[in-house]
Amino acid sequence: MYRYILKRLLMLLPVLLGVLLIIFILSEITPGDAARQLAGEFASEEDVQAIREELGLNRPFLERFFSYLTGLVTRGDLGVSYQTGQPVIQEIADRFPTTLLLALVSMLFSILIGIPTGIISAIRQYSWIDSTSMVVALVGVSMPNFWQGLLNIIVFSIWLGWLPASGFYGWQYWILPAVTIGTSSAAMITRMTRSSMLEVIHQDYIRTARAKGQKENVIIIKHALKNALIPIVTVVGIQFGGLLGGAVLTETVFAIPGLGKFMVDAIKARNYPVVQGGVLVLAVVFSVVNLLVDILYSYIDPRLKSMYRKTVRIKN
């Protein structure tokens, strides 16, 4: 297992290098001039050139890329914000906990809604509960987060006045953003749970458990759900990474001071070091979550751990 983890960590390096290269290329070909943005509309060309020289924007693309990569590897340096002059890593560290909290609350909402609904739909296949939940799940998957966020603000904040429309200062402020970005994840988890459970509950060992007189709750939870968890855990891991990405628009809609809104503001201001650092951090978190999901597989299904051990022994 340790060799597998080390192998996955080593495979993470070319992925992050590719992400960094892509975001550098996109920053290079994006219309607009960061130096002109900082200098102002009426600044002279000499002032713009001075800012470009100070920020190193007049250097060749490859030189800037390898300089950034060297600083990242040797010092963990993500550069300096063009607007504030503060280290990007510090500004990201100040805002990332908010984004992570929003993703965790949204993921909890998705799991609490998606897994029970998927189980009920599977054991009540083709019933009105199953049909209704699948229609709702289809709507949830199809609904854009930013549109749902605006709709939630209009209904629950403006019309009904139940919940605050912006900010992130207490649990009341968490509800609308968490529901907004958690709805599509809950829908995906519902569909995957239903599909996985349907494959399991028709297996022979489930019929054997019923023939032995096991209680239906024990059969569903202990036998069926446990063996259906691997695809469900996979979807949960993927959706968690998606929630971090979905927070970019949701934080902007709800004016949440997290990493997502910070990156959107940086894109508007051509603050490229912030954009590059934010994307890199999100890529690392997403990759680490996928690694944790893979490790969790061996605890859900011990057969996977034994298969890996056999493979290592054969190679040796």
Side-chain angles (χ1 to χ4, degrees):
M1 180 57 67
Y2 295 108
R3 292 185 181 181
Y4 174 74
I5 295 174
L6 180 60
K7 181 180 178 181
R8 286 297 304 270
L9 290 176
L10 292 176
M11 291 172 60
L12 179 62
L13 297 179
V15 172
L16 297 180
L17 181 62
V19 169
L20 190 59
L21 179 60
I22 291 173
I23 191 63
F24 252 86
I25 293 174
L26 291 177
S27 300
E28 184 72 15
I29 65 177
T30 300
D33 186 354
R36 171 64 65 180
Q37 185 85 9
L38 290 171
E41 183 179 356
F42 302 104
S44 64
E45 188 62 29
E46 290 77 9
D47 294 335
V48 174
Q49 289 295 336
I51 294 175
R52 190 176 289 113
E53 177 74 24
E54 180 183 357
L55 299 178
L57 297 176
N58 56 346
R59 294 186 296 167
F61 170 78
L62 290 179
E63 182 181 342
R64 286 187 284 116
F65 176 74
F66 285 109
S67 175
Y68 184 91
L69 189 61
T70 302
L72 177 63
V73 173
T74 58
R75 304 186 303 273
D77 185 17
L78 294 178
V80 177
S81 172
Y82 290 166
Q83 292 178 295
T84 64
Q86 298 297 318
V88 172
I89 191 170
Q90 182 60 49
E91 296 202 338
I92 290 177
D94 293 339
R95 293 167 174 83
F96 182 70
T98 300
T99 300
L100 182 61
L101 177 60
L102 176 59
L104 290 174
V105 174
S106 304
M107 195 75 259
L108 180 62
F109 166 78
S110 303
I111 292 173
L112 292 179
I113 297 297
I115 293 181
T117 305
I119 294 174
I120 295 173
S121 297
I123 62 179
R124 303 290 185 186
Q125 188 180 14
Y126 302 131
S127 66
W128 68 270
I129 297 177
D130 182 27
S131 301
T132 303
S133 63
M134 288 301 99
V135 170
V136 174
L138 179 61
V139 174
V141 171
S142 306
M143 190 181 303
N145 287 340
F146 68 91
W147 182 83
Q148 185 186 357
L150 295 174
L151 185 63
N152 287 339
I153 291 175
I154 293 173
V155 175
F156 296 103
S157 297
I158 298 177
W159 290 356
L160 300 177
W162 291 352
L163 297 168
S166 62
F168 207 66
Y169 310 109
W171 66 268
Q172 302 96 330
Y173 295 83
W174 303 351
I175 296 176
L176 287 185
V179 171
T180 297
I181 63 175
T183 300
S184 59
S185 296
M188 291 296 297
I189 293 172
T190 298
R191 292 158 65 98
M192 179 55 68
T193 302
R194 178 183 182 274
S195 176
S196 184
M197 286 290 292
L198 285 175
E199 291 182 6
V200 170
I201 60 178
H202 296 299
Q203 298 293 327
D204 292 337
Y205 63 86
I206 298 295
R207 288 192 288 267
T208 301
R210 288 197 176 102
K212 289 182 177 180
Q214 286 276 11
K215 293 182 179 179
E216 189 66 19
N217 292 338
V218 175
I219 293 173
I220 295 300
I221 301 300
K222 184 177 180 180
H223 298 288
L225 181 60
K226 186 177 180 180
N227 288 281
L229 271 181
I230 288 183
I232 298 173
V233 170
T234 303
V235 170
V236 169
I238 294 174
Q239 290 302 312
F240 182 75
L243 290 176
L244 290 172
V248 173
L249 291 178
T250 304
E251 287 179 1
T252 303
V253 171
F254 289 95
I256 298 174
L259 180 58
K261 185 176 184 300
F262 185 51
M263 289 175 61
V264 171
D265 294 339
I267 292 172
K268 295 177 181 178
R270 307 291 195 278
N271 196 347
Y272 298 135
V274 171
V275 179
Q276 293 159 3
V279 172
L280 188 62
V281 168
L282 292 179
V284 170
V285 174
F286 187 80
S287 300
V288 170
V289 168
N290 284 335
L291 176 60
L292 294 177
V293 168
D294 289 344
I295 297 173
L296 188 59
Y297 287 162
S298 62
Y299 293 96
I300 296 174
D301 190 351
R303 293 174 298 179
L304 297 177
K305 185 185 292 187
S306 62
M307 290 172 59
Y308 178 76
R309 287 176 178 172
K310 290 179 181 178
T311 303
V312 171
R313 289 173 184 171
I314 292 173
K315 289 181 178 179
N316 292 337

